Amino acid sequence: MMNNLTHLDENGAARMVDVSAKDTTEREASAEAVILLSPEAFDAVASDEAPKGDVLAAARIAGIMAAKKTSDLIPLCHALPLSKAEIAFEPLADKNAIKITATVKTVARTGVEMEALTAASIAALTIYDMTKAIDKGAVIEGVRLLAKSGGKSGAFTAPP
Amino acid sequence: MMNNLTHLDENGAARMVDVSAKDTTEREASAEAVILLSPEAFDAVASDEAPKGDVLAAARIAGIMAAKKTSDLIPLCHALPLSKAEIAFEPLADKNAIKITATVKTVARTGVEMEALTAASIAALTIYDMTKAIDKGAVIEGVRLLAKSGGKSGAFTAPP
Amino acid sequence: MMNNLTHLDENGAARMVDVSAKDTTEREASAEAVILLSPEAFDAVASDEAPKGDVLAAARIAGIMAAKKTSDLIPLCHALPLSKAEIAFEPLADKNAIKITATVKTVARTGVEMEALTAASIAALTIYDMTKAIDKGAVIEGVRLLAKSGGKSGAFTAPP
Amino acid sequence: MMNNLTHLDENGAARMVDVSAKDTTEREASAEAVILLSPEAFDAVASDEAPKGDVLAAARIAGIMAAKKTSDLIPLCHALPLSKAEIAFEPLADKNAIKITATVKTVARTGVEMEALTAASIAALTIYDMTKAIDKGAVIEGVRLLAKSGGKSGAFTAPP
Amino acid sequence: MMNNLTHLDENGAARMVDVSAKDTTEREASAEAVILLSPEAFDAVASDEAPKGDVLAAARIAGIMAAKKTSDLIPLCHALPLSKAEIAFEPLADKNAIKITATVKTVARTGVEMEALTAASIAALTIYDMTKAIDKGAVIEGVRLLAKSGGKSGAFTAPP
Amino acid sequence: MMNNLTHLDENGAARMVDVSAKDTTEREASAEAVILLSPEAFDAVASDEAPKGDVLAAARIAGIMAAKKTSDLIPLCHALPLSKAEIAFEPLADKNAIKITATVKTVARTGVEMEALTAASIAALTIYDMTKAIDKGAVIEGVRLLAKSGGKSGAFTAPP
């Protein structure tokens, strides 16, 4: 079992895995998170009144910048030169929620799953921060990898 | 409604709110996140075999360091001098999950809710990173504020 | 003359000046920068078509986040807990320019002039970045301190 | 017009552009900034008295380090492995000014214009910081791209 | 024994110690490091030929900036607002060495020993970096706390 | 002599050397540091009682994360995409010391000596931080490059 945890060596010590021998290929990953808001907070963020736009604009920028900081946050994550980062928001009006999808690409020796997950998480936390004066009870659910492609380990697609 | 979103001015533009006139008081916040793993990944992380300890040790360090970086990640968050940061893990064997609780304190003009939430999120993402060679399907659920105290807006306790 | 450069000691060596004995007081500074764009780039950023809003929203977030990073950029600058940071944009249609004004506050032992100047500069550079596909010839002019208050050295107001 | 702002998608949302398909080639950019000082401050920085050297040495280091931090400052900027970074200073005694020129190179999928501009700006701000005890009225003018080469969009040279 | 390691809780888990109840007082620490160079490298750095000054100027700036980053490097270290940071160099010609002394102050709830030690270490590593084209065999010795004062635990002075 | 200090130009000004024309090859470096502790501190860190593990786990994570931050700490160091980073600890019971060895790899245009040295130094400083409540007199000795390989300048191995 132990040797499946590639981030630990044979003694259980953490390490940044050697990827020197892996191929430099195009790799992509997408991840999502859903933030459940109170009706009032949802209305303030996602309704179509113009001034509200800046909440999602700030969350989008925060997510993209966080993608670039991932290796500084996740201890054993390799720093990779991201070639694309995008954040999309989908309001889910029936549950006063916002679904955040982050998509990240690189051309590198290892994948960008952590970058996509970090971007989605930080975008969600930014929405929390900007609505917490209205409602401190918002909850972030379903932070998960949606899909990855590229690299020897092959593609992954999350169950629906 | 708009003026409840304190992070936006009257035109909807994002800003870092002026807290100069608020009192410097002791403030504490705790937040949690739960990561649902596959049975194999749970066993590799949380069983009592010695070498596995480094996964949680790495996640703990990552969470504490992330608490200190919160204002660099969340755009409108004030940088605060944290006076305490702790991460606790509780294995939930019945659902192959690990519950992460982050507790943060400061003596400052505004609270540390975002620091606690960021610490819990990054600790959870670190567990994902270190187990993803076994299972890419782990999901982080229930990222939420548990409690806060201190400051004029008073205490908050999440519903159970 | 030499001893007027407080950032150098008596041998000309750089140092971070000792401010331990200074009072903790409320201090504020504002700074501005003007970016001169081509007519096409100005139109893309500052016209009132809705989708264009994200350029200024991104520049605003970049400026606020840069204010918080100032001590990491300017070698001898003290890290201060900012209590407010705001960025305002004023389109100057007659010269296809955008004026950026950054206002920063702290309650600390030294002032926030560098934070305001850095915020205005990085907001201007972000506008450059987001319009450079249209026009690489944009120029940033007049990066300067507008005003500061608080602290023993007293108030400063730039000439008009 | 909108689709010329490559940093915005078709809905006006900010994104880090996909450069995965671009060629990895050598790319260079240079940028300048000019800081106008009072006679006293200029004399303290740029005269040939030995101890004054540390102001420009500090500004040079600050500019080079800022070039490496550009993608952390400019939200939609790709992180690139810089292969060279240099800062040159030219005193302009007739106007008590110092001209800063930053030159940056990479071998990557996109260019380093923002790195050169950021380096020149932060070097100028560092000179401001180190002379502000003498004169808070210094102004930074003419922050602009001088030239870029490499990449499919071809060379750019600023008008004189 | 265990409870003497204040950075570990009763289960041995790492934590950032709670200093909320400690007094905010002036605290100072100094630390040193010595780098032993080859005669050629020592001559290039420390002789009195003018152009060589930039090695020590760069090392000084690097040390001061590192002091400000200490809490981002040392996992359980509290972020403190430094009120002073200075680096001094003393050439030790008889052993082709350079002694680096870092002095740091704060007015805070805990001390700045780690900031002084980090500043001295990074200044020494910068000298290594800038001389390694001549000599890769340089060694850094004697990285240690020289003295600290302020705070309830009282003063410390290293043995000579 | 001057032109041997590749980090300085012909005028002695610091620069980040142009490595654009160097080959992208696999490069590896290892470095070590030794921290001498008091008997009590050594016993608390390195004895085989279970709870003590977190000191070395924290130091290991700190060292690996510092390797990734090297170019942000050492002014003229190129940012490189690390492909491996590992930290090993060897208790030297006869002198109450812990030997830290850091090994870093990249596939890039220049080497990772500074990354290995920085990782070893920060791991050592983290051990200092976590034991300083017991003993402030710990000393870090022998921070040095052990070996490097890859690149045109060839291999280096430290004398024993």
Side-chain angles (χ1 to χ4, degrees):
Chain A
M1 185 65 52
M2 208 57 230
N3 42 6
N4 288 334
L5 285 183
T6 51
H7 284 349
L8 300 187
D9 69 14
E10 59 281 10
N11 301 313
R15 62 178 173 185
M16 202 167 85
V17 183
D18 190 350
V19 299
S20 312
K22 294 174 76 175
D23 287 333
T24 296
T25 60
E26 190 171 311
R27 294 154 193 268
E28 182 164 3
S30 59
E32 75 176 15
V34 176
I35 183 165
L36 308 180
L37 299 166
S38 69
E40 293 75 14
F42 178 77
D43 195 53
V45 171
S47 80
D48 55 3
E49 298 170 43
K52 301 177 181 179
D54 258 13
V55 173
L56 297 187
R60 183 181 282 118
I61 296 295
I64 291 171
M65 295 183 86
K68 295 191 275 185
K69 276 189 245 261
T70 301
S71 68
D72 197 38
L73 294 168
I74 308 297
L76 305 177
C77 194
H78 297 82
L80 301 177
L82 304 189
S83 53
K84 167 186 163 173
E86 281 188 11
I87 308 276
F89 298 106
E90 181 187 349
L92 306 174
D94 57 330
K95 31 185 187 171
N96 295 311
I98 296 172
K99 183 158 81 173
I100 301 139
T101 308
T103 308
V104 180
K105 276 173 89 170
T106 192
V107 183
R109 288 188 165 74
T110 185
V112 283
E113 296 96 308
M114 294 317 301
E115 283 76 4
L117 285 161
T118 302
S121 294
I122 297 297
L125 289 170
T126 300
I127 295 174
Y128 183 97
D129 182 45
M130 295 183 80
T131 57
K132 73 178 193 293
I134 298 179
D135 171 31
K136 289 186 171 50
V139 181
I140 300 168
E141 301 283 5
V143 182
R144 59 180 186 136
L145 185 66
L146 289 177
K148 72 160 285 252
S149 61
K152 205 174 161 188
S153 75
F156 167 87
T157 308
Chain B
M1 185 63 52
M2 208 55 231
N3 42 5
N4 288 334
L5 286 182
T6 52
H7 284 348
L8 302 186
D9 68 14
E10 59 282 9
N11 300 313
R15 62 178 172 184
M16 202 166 85
V17 182
D18 190 350
V19 299
S20 312
K22 294 174 78 176
D23 287 332
T24 296
T25 61
E26 190 172 309
R27 294 155 192 268
E28 181 163 3
S30 57
E32 74 176 17
V34 176
I35 183 163
L36 309 180
L37 299 165
S38 69
E40 293 75 13
F42 179 77
D43 196 53
V45 171
S47 79
D48 54 3
E49 297 170 44
K52 300 180 181 179
D54 259 11
V55 173
L56 297 187
R60 184 180 283 117
I61 296 295
I64 292 171
M65 295 183 86
K68 295 192 275 184
K69 278 190 243 261
T70 302
S71 68
D72 197 39
L73 294 168
I74 308 297
L76 305 177
C77 195
H78 298 81
L80 301 177
L82 303 189
S83 53
K84 167 186 164 174
E86 282 188 10
I87 307 276
F89 298 105
E90 182 188 347
L92 307 175
D94 57 330
K95 31 185 188 170
N96 296 311
I98 296 171
K99 182 158 80 174
I100 300 138
T101 308
T103 308
V104 180
K105 276 173 89 170
T106 191
V107 182
R109 288 188 164 73
T110 185
V112 282
E113 296 96 308
M114 295 316 302
E115 284 75 5
L117 286 160
T118 301
S121 293
I122 297 297
L125 289 170
T126 299
I127 295 175
Y128 183 97
D129 183 45
M130 295 184 78
T131 57
K132 72 179 194 292
I134 298 178
D135 171 31
K136 288 186 171 50
V139 181
I140 300 167
E141 301 284 5
V143 182
R144 60 181 185 136
L145 186 66
L146 289 176
K148 74 161 281 252
S149 61
K152 204 173 159 190
S153 76
F156 167 88
T157 307
Chain C
M1 186 64 52
M2 209 56 231
N3 43 5
N4 287 333
L5 286 181
T6 52
H7 283 348
L8 301 186
D9 69 14
E10 59 282 8
N11 300 313
R15 62 177 173 186
M16 202 165 84
V17 182
D18 190 350
V19 299
S20 313
K22 295 174 77 175
D23 287 332
T24 297
T25 61
E26 190 172 310
R27 295 154 192 269
E28 182 164 4
S30 58
E32 75 175 17
V34 176
I35 183 165
L36 308 179
L37 299 165
S38 69
E40 292 75 13
F42 178 76
D43 196 52
V45 171
S47 80
D48 54 3
E49 297 171 44
K52 300 179 181 179
D54 258 12
V55 173
L56 297 187
R60 183 180 284 117
I61 295 295
I64 291 171
M65 294 183 88
K68 295 191 275 185
K69 278 189 244 261
T70 301
S71 69
D72 197 39
L73 294 168
I74 308 297
L76 305 177
C77 195
H78 297 81
L80 301 177
L82 304 189
S83 53
K84 167 186 163 174
E86 282 189 10
I87 307 276
F89 298 105
E90 181 188 348
L92 307 174
D94 57 329
K95 31 185 188 173
N96 296 311
I98 296 171
K99 182 158 81 174
I100 300 137
T101 308
T103 308
V104 180
K105 277 173 88 170
T106 191
V107 182
R109 288 188 163 73
T110 184
V112 282
E113 296 96 309
M114 294 317 301
E115 283 75 4
L117 284 160
T118 301
S121 293
I122 297 297
L125 289 170
T126 299
I127 295 175
Y128 183 97
D129 182 45
M130 294 184 79
T131 56
K132 72 178 195 291
I134 299 178
D135 172 31
K136 288 186 171 50
V139 181
I140 300 167
E141 301 284 4
V143 182
R144 61 182 185 134
L145 185 67
L146 289 177
K148 73 160 281 252
S149 61
K152 204 174 161 190
S153 76
F156 167 88
T157 307
Chain D
M1 184 64 54
M2 208 57 230
N3 42 5
N4 287 333
L5 285 183
T6 52
H7 283 349
L8 301 187
D9 69 15
E10 59 282 8
N11 301 313
R15 62 177 173 187
M16 201 167 85
V17 183
D18 190 350
V19 299
S20 312
K22 293 175 77 175
D23 287 332
T24 296
T25 61
E26 189 172 311
R27 294 155 193 266
E28 182 164 3
S30 58
E32 75 176 16
V34 176
I35 182 164
L36 308 179
L37 300 165
S38 70
E40 293 75 14
F42 178 76
D43 196 51
V45 171
S47 81
D48 54 3
E49 297 171 45
K52 300 178 183 180
D54 259 12
V55 173
L56 297 187
R60 184 181 283 118
I61 296 295
I64 291 171
M65 294 183 88
K68 294 191 274 185
K69 277 189 245 263
T70 301
S71 68
D72 197 38
L73 294 167
I74 308 296
L76 306 178
C77 195
H78 297 80
L80 301 177
L82 303 189
S83 53
K84 167 186 162 172
E86 281 189 11
I87 307 276
F89 298 106
E90 181 187 348
L92 307 174
D94 57 330
K95 31 185 188 171
N96 295 312
I98 296 172
K99 182 158 81 175
I100 300 138
T101 308
T103 308
V104 180
K105 277 174 87 169
T106 192
V107 184
R109 287 188 165 75
T110 184
V112 283
E113 296 96 309
M114 293 317 300
E115 282 77 4
L117 285 160
T118 301
S121 293
I122 297 297
L125 289 170
T126 299
I127 294 174
Y128 183 97
D129 182 46
M130 295 183 79
T131 58
K132 73 178 193 293
I134 298 179
D135 171 30
K136 288 187 170 50
V139 181
I140 300 168
E141 301 283 6
V143 182
R144 61 182 185 135
L145 186 67
L146 288 177
K148 72 161 284 252
S149 61
K152 205 174 161 189
S153 77
F156 167 88
T157 307
Chain E
M1 184 63 53
M2 209 55 230
N3 42 4
N4 288 333
L5 285 183
T6 51
H7 284 347
L8 301 187
D9 68 15
E10 59 282 8
N11 301 313
R15 63 177 173 186
M16 203 166 85
V17 183
D18 190 350
V19 298
S20 312
K22 294 174 77 175
D23 287 332
T24 297
T25 60
E26 190 172 311
R27 295 154 193 268
E28 181 164 3
S30 58
E32 75 176 18
V34 175
I35 182 164
L36 308 179
L37 300 165
S38 69
E40 294 74 13
F42 178 76
D43 196 53
V45 171
S47 80
D48 54 4
E49 298 169 44
K52 299 177 182 180
D54 259 12
V55 172
L56 296 187
R60 183 181 283 118
I61 296 295
I64 291 171
M65 295 183 86
K68 295 191 275 185
K69 277 188 245 261
T70 301
S71 68
D72 197 39
L73 295 167
I74 308 297
L76 305 177
C77 195
H78 297 81
L80 302 177
L82 304 189
S83 53
K84 168 186 161 173
E86 281 188 11
I87 308 276
F89 299 106
E90 181 188 347
L92 306 175
D94 57 330
K95 30 185 188 173
N96 296 311
I98 296 171
K99 183 159 80 175
I100 300 138
T101 308
T103 308
V104 180
K105 276 173 88 170
T106 191
V107 183
R109 287 188 165 73
T110 185
V112 283
E113 296 96 309
M114 295 316 301
E115 284 75 4
L117 284 160
T118 301
S121 293
I122 297 296
L125 289 170
T126 300
I127 295 174
Y128 183 97
D129 182 45
M130 295 183 79
T131 57
K132 73 177 194 291
I134 298 179
D135 171 31
K136 288 186 172 48
V139 180
I140 300 167
E141 301 283 4
V143 182
R144 61 180 186 136
L145 185 66
L146 289 177
K148 73 161 282 253
S149 61
K152 204 174 161 190
S153 75
F156 167 88
T157 308
Chain F
M1 184 64 55
M2 208 57 230
N3 41 7
N4 287 334
L5 284 183
T6 50
H7 284 348
L8 302 186
D9 70 13
E10 59 281 9
N11 300 313
R15 62 177 173 186
M16 202 167 86
V17 182
D18 190 351
V19 298
S20 313
K22 294 174 77 175
D23 287 333
T24 297
T25 61
E26 190 171 310
R27 294 154 193 268
E28 182 165 2
S30 58
E32 75 176 16
V34 176
I35 183 163
L36 309 179
L37 299 165
S38 70
E40 293 74 15
F42 178 77
D43 196 52
V45 171
S47 80
D48 54 3
E49 298 170 43
K52 301 178 181 180
D54 258 12
V55 173
L56 297 187
R60 183 181 284 117
I61 296 295
I64 291 171
M65 294 183 87
K68 295 191 275 185
K69 276 189 244 262
T70 302
S71 68
D72 197 39
L73 293 168
I74 309 297
L76 305 177
C77 195
H78 297 81
L80 300 177
L82 303 189
S83 53
K84 167 187 163 173
E86 281 188 11
I87 308 276
F89 298 105
E90 182 187 348
L92 307 175
D94 57 329
K95 32 185 188 171
N96 295 312
I98 296 171
K99 182 158 82 172
I100 299 138
T101 308
T103 308
V104 180
K105 277 174 87 169
T106 191
V107 183
R109 288 189 163 74
T110 184
V112 282
E113 295 96 309
M114 294 316 301
E115 282 77 4
L117 285 160
T118 301
S121 294
I122 297 298
L125 289 170
T126 300
I127 295 174
Y128 183 97
D129 182 45
M130 295 183 79
T131 57
K132 72 179 194 293
I134 299 179
D135 171 30
K136 289 187 170 50
V139 181
I140 300 167
E141 300 284 4
V143 182
R144 60 181 186 135
L145 185 67
L146 289 177
K148 71 161 283 252
S149 61
K152 206 174 160 189
S153 76
F156 167 88
T157 308

